[in-house]
Amino acid sequence: MEPVLPPIGMLAELTHRCPLQCAYCSNPVELLKANREMDTGGWISLFEQAADLGVLQVHLSGGEPTLRTDLVELVRCLAQRGVYTNLITAGVGIAEGRIEALAEAGLDHIQLSFQGAFATTTEKIGNARGAHEKKIETARRVRATGLPLTINAPIHRHNMNEVPDFIDLALDLGAERLEIANVQYAGWALLNRDALMPQRAAVERQVLIVEEAQERLRGIMTIDFVTPDYFAIYPKPCMGGWARDAFMVAPDGTVLPCHAAATIKTLQFERFGDRPLSEIWHDSAAFKAFRGTDWMQEPCRSCERKEIDWGGCRCQAMAIAGDAAASDPACIKSPFHDRMGALIDQATGKKSSDGTFAYRRIGRMSEPMV
């Protein structure tokens, strides 16, 4: 077993509350209400311990993190410890002066999500009228503060044809970076998988469009591309590998190796406050379960890629193979790889492309916007 190194990254899901109801959201289907969120003191204590542990960057996410009234205070705490902060926001309903206050508190970067390159798509996917215009205004305000801006475009069947338009939109908004992030099927996205899954030909066209734009815009705007797992040959190293250099924290303080880890019901995850963060990182049985390579089965155990992708996604193995220790079905060497193709065929063969989603909502599933 290799030595456990300090984590360098942390995803902090401050809340599950959100003004949008995106069908592709990776939050769990059982969303936590506001009264289960960790309070200001709890988050500050967690951030202090994270900095002591070695964390260098924190991604502040949700839900919608700007719904936390203490967000400026949390950013200031991290900035005072020299921790890089990235705010991941839907950019809807942010009060006047809030972005400026966050910048003054020491925020380093803002990542703004767009559900579509056009208003009609944004409203259909997020189930919220007027959201697109609010996002554009937020982007303008971010740039006015001088903060670096990334546009995040979660891609699926209903907006994949807008990839060239996302590129134009990001350029128009002055973004330094565009993330073309094909949806990964966890949480609400898994629930809506059949309605979100793109056609294979559309994915192949998308790859060519992105590669051309990456070359054309080199030195002007960085374009990152997140490959869709179901169409991949090899898996990605999820979160850099299970509990290798990053972790996430749910709104109630539960510490997890990744955002979907709670779907593995054989593992018990600990809550910050019940135990110090350092002990959870080093000694938690759930964190040790798939750390390194000793846990691997064949073909992973003898694979030359095992310290490149670290076995891929354990949650995806659980969802598709029914065994969190199985080889990631995204890998062509996996005995479960054919199941990915079958799921693509199942989804794209259905008449489910009209945008009828189970929209994300705390408490109950919402009806489609009409």
Side-chain angles (χ1 to χ4, degrees):
M1 174 71 71
E2 65 178 34
V4 179
L5 299 176
I8 61 173
M10 170 184 170
L11 174 65
E13 290 190 342
L14 301 178
T15 180
H16 280 162
R17 293 172 288 145
C18 186
L20 302 185
Q21 299 177 9
C22 300
Y24 63 78
C25 185
S26 62
N27 282 160
V29 174
E30 295 182 11
L31 297 165
L32 299 176
K33 296 182 178 181
N35 62 356
R36 295 184 62 187
E37 294 173 12
M38 195 156 55
D39 63 17
T40 305
W43 279 109
I44 287 178
S45 178
L46 172 64
F47 290 150
E48 293 282 1
Q49 290 190 29
D52 291 341
L53 189 56
V55 168
L56 301 176
Q57 53 183 302
V58 171
H59 303 274
L60 301 163
S61 181
E64 176 47 55
T66 62
L67 292 177
R68 291 280 306 209
T69 58
D70 56 0
L71 184 59
V72 170
E73 187 176 351
L74 299 182
V75 168
R76 184 177 293 112
C77 164
L78 289 164
Q80 289 172 347
R81 293 301 307 268
V83 177
Y84 181 94
T85 49
N86 172 39
L87 176 65
I88 303 172
T89 178
V92 175
I94 301 178
E96 190 74 29
R98 194 92 187 284
I99 294 172
E100 293 76 9
L102 288 166
E104 186 177 346
L107 184 68
D108 291 295
H109 181 272
I110 288 184
Q111 180 174 316
L112 174 60
S113 65
F114 275 81
Q115 288 64 49
F118 304 104
T120 51
T121 310
T122 297
E123 291 182 0
K124 180 176 80 170
I125 302 304
N127 204 27
R129 291 185 175 90
H132 195 79
E133 293 76 13
K134 293 174 183 176
K135 290 170 180 289
I136 290 175
E137 175 57 26
T138 295
R140 305 290 189 204
R141 289 164 57 191
V142 170
R143 299 307 292 128
T145 66
L147 282 170
L149 173 66
T150 290
I151 298 299
N152 173 253
I155 303 296
H156 46 79
R157 179 189 302 180
H158 300 275
N159 64 6
M160 187 166 283
N161 65 325
E162 296 179 12
V163 167
D165 305 292
F166 276 117
I167 295 168
D168 291 342
L169 176 65
L171 284 169
D172 180 62
L173 294 175
E176 286 87 358
R177 178 171 166 266
L178 169 65
E179 184 176 71
I180 301 293
N182 284 269
V183 165
Q184 309 298 306
Y185 295 102
W188 289 84
L190 182 59
L191 186 68
N192 287 293
R193 182 174 57 193
D194 282 357
L196 293 169
M197 187 74 71
Q199 297 280 348
R200 189 177 298 275
V203 173
E204 292 170 354
R205 286 194 300 272
Q206 174 198 216
V207 171
L208 295 176
I209 290 167
V210 171
E211 288 177 346
E212 183 280 329
Q214 286 173 325
E215 183 62 32
R216 172 168 49 88
L217 298 173
R218 191 180 305 277
I220 299 172
M221 181 175 71
T222 299
I223 301 178
D224 292 335
F225 182 66
V226 179
T227 307
D229 281 350
Y230 281 58
F231 298 85
I233 297 176
Y234 296 116
K236 295 186 289 291
C238 182
M239 294 285 285
W242 182 278
R244 285 197 71 248
D245 58 21
F247 62 95
M248 69 84 64
V249 181
D252 65 351
T254 301
V255 186
L256 302 157
C258 74
H259 64 280
T263 60
I264 304 174
K265 300 303 182 183
T266 55
L267 300 179
Q268 297 293 318
F269 299 100
E270 299 178 72
R271 189 171 298 175
F272 175 73
D274 297 340
R275 199 177 186 194
L277 183 61
S278 179
E279 290 186 12
I280 296 174
W281 174 256
H282 286 98
D283 301 325
S284 166
F287 275 57
K288 289 180 176 180
F290 304 113
R291 179 181 268 150
T293 60
D294 290 349
W295 60 272
M296 291 182 179
Q297 304 174 359
E298 294 294 352
C300 297
R301 179 177 289 273
S302 57
C303 181
E304 71 280 2
R305 294 180 54 86
K306 67 180 181 182
E307 293 187 4
I308 297 174
D309 56 43
W310 301 98
C313 181
R314 299 300 86 225
C315 306
Q316 191 157 257
M318 185 74 246
I320 296 175
D323 178 6
S327 54
D328 187 339
C331 184
I332 198 169
K333 298 182 180 183
S334 169
F336 306 103
H337 186 67
D338 288 348
R339 295 188 186 182
M340 301 294 249
L343 288 166
I344 294 170
D345 293 341
Q346 169 189 303
T348 57
K350 288 184 176 181
K351 294 180 179 178
S352 56
S353 60
D354 60 351
T356 302
F357 304 124
Y359 283 109
R360 174 199 190 280
R361 189 172 182 179
I362 291 178
R364 62 183 176 86
M365 295 182 193
S366 66
E367 297 299 324
M369 182 180 71
V370 296

